Amino acid sequence: MGGTTRCRDVLPSQFAGCTDLNSTRFLQRMIHAEKPDLIVFSGDNIFGSSTRDAAESLFGAFRPAMVAKLPWAAILGNHDQESTMTRAELMAFISLMDYSLSRIDGFGNYNLTVHGAAGSPLVNSSLLNLYLLDSGDRAVVGGRRTYGWIKESQLHWLRAVSEELQGSSPVPAPALAFFHIPIPEVRELWFRKILGQYQEAVACSSVNSGVLKTLASMGDVKAVFAGHDHLNDFCGEIGGVMLCYGGGFGYHGYGKAGWPRRARMIQSELRKDGGGSWAGVGRIRTWKRLDDEALTKIEELVIWESPTRKRSRDALLPPRGPPRRTV
């Protein structure tokens, strides 16, 4: 870990001196450039099988956020528990770390609420809801190993939380969902309009538990953000929900030589009502930054607008070119 773990899948010219500390420096640069209000770590925060001490590695992964005194939240991937802590122990530990907003509701399932502007009538109301879900690690189905999935009990919890939040908000509040392992429907985006790169097969569970159907029926979730497949960083829409990858961030995990590590930013913007007071969320945008010399900003996309500001997304999602597969 840290300075003793060499980078994977970088150019020969980058290999000398490249260690997992490059991941730390990338996060520090992102914090300095974007000055975020919240950081979400989307799983595989540590590579458990090569980690002798999970607690020490967690501190290494999250330290830049804690040093910057920034609120942060984390969910688990399929590798976090492969070291010295179970998934339950990991989430309990993470929830107690400085500036962590992570909570425990069935290991990694919890929600966060973003309230209105200070001094506005909506200061005590949630204007943006964040749902963070544990998509599991591995399972055996019909005698075959597959990746984990979001269970019906989790979807029941999610529907109940969404219903409560929507019923208590004086204005319609959009929501975003975060989980590590993508849902099977993401594979359909190979044949649809996307923005970004689709460079590897979607590694999802063989079980379709109805996550997308649940999200669409709830009505508040406008976008889902997943990790897991490091060489995919695209966004595309299915069933009224935008499905997005973050792209590979860390240098300890696999990547693609010559394809810079990257991070996804999400920005929500408040709108004003007819009287000029701050009201609900008017627009949600996303973009990525590359870990290159200029911290290049790429592929900005409006993923949702309130009805008062809505524009056609088709103008923002160019058609895909010829299918590309990378072996």
Side-chain angles (χ1 to χ4, degrees), residues 169-193:
S169 178
V171 296
L176 306 174
F178 299 84
F179 45 82
H180 182 72
I181 298 173
I183 56 178
E185 287 86 351
V186 173
R187 294 176 295 191
E188 299 175 22
L189 292 172
W190 179 259
F191 307 100
R192 302 195 183 198
K193 297 176 182 179

Side-chain angles (χ1 to χ4, degrees), residues 4 31 34 36 42 47-48 56 59 81 84 116 123 132 160 168 175 184 214 226 258 264 278 280 285 301 303 310 320:
T4 63
I31 290 171
E34 293 285 3
S42 59
F47 194 58
E56 182 181 358
F59 274 114
Q81 79 291 337
T84 57
V123 67
L132 298 99
S168 63
T214 296
R264 182 172 292 282
W278 289 114
R285 299 187 297 141
L301 172 69
I303 58 177
K310 190 168 185 178
R320 289 194 58 203

Side-chain angles (χ1 to χ4, degrees), residues 26-36 263 265 289 295:
F26 183 23
L27 180 53
Q28 291 169 334
R29 295 177 70 206
M30 287 293 298
I31 290 171
H32 178 75
E34 293 285 3
K35 298 175 175 56
M265 294 296 302
R289 282 194 183 271
L295 211 63

Side-chain angles (χ1 to χ4, degrees), residues 62-86:
F62 303 138
R63 183 172 287 115
M66 294 187 287
V67 169
K69 300 181 179 181
L70 283 172
W72 58 275
I75 49 179
L76 299 181
N78 54 293
H79 289 298
D80 292 287
Q81 79 291 337
E82 294 172 349
S83 180
T84 57
M85 290 185 181
T86 66

Side-chain angles (χ1 to χ4, degrees), residues 193-211:
K193 297 176 182 179
I194 61 171
L195 183 61
Q197 298 296 309
Y198 194 144
Q199 299 184 114
E200 65 174 311
V202 175
C204 59
S205 176
S206 62
V207 175
N208 190 330
S209 59
V211 173

Side-chain angles (χ1 to χ4, degrees), residues 80-101:
D80 292 287
Q81 79 291 337
E82 294 172 349
S83 180
T84 57
M85 290 185 181
T86 66
R87 296 179 78 81
E89 290 168 341
L90 285 164
M91 283 308 301
F93 188 85
I94 290 170
S95 70
L96 296 175
M97 297 177 77
D98 290 345
Y99 302 99
S100 171
L101 301 181

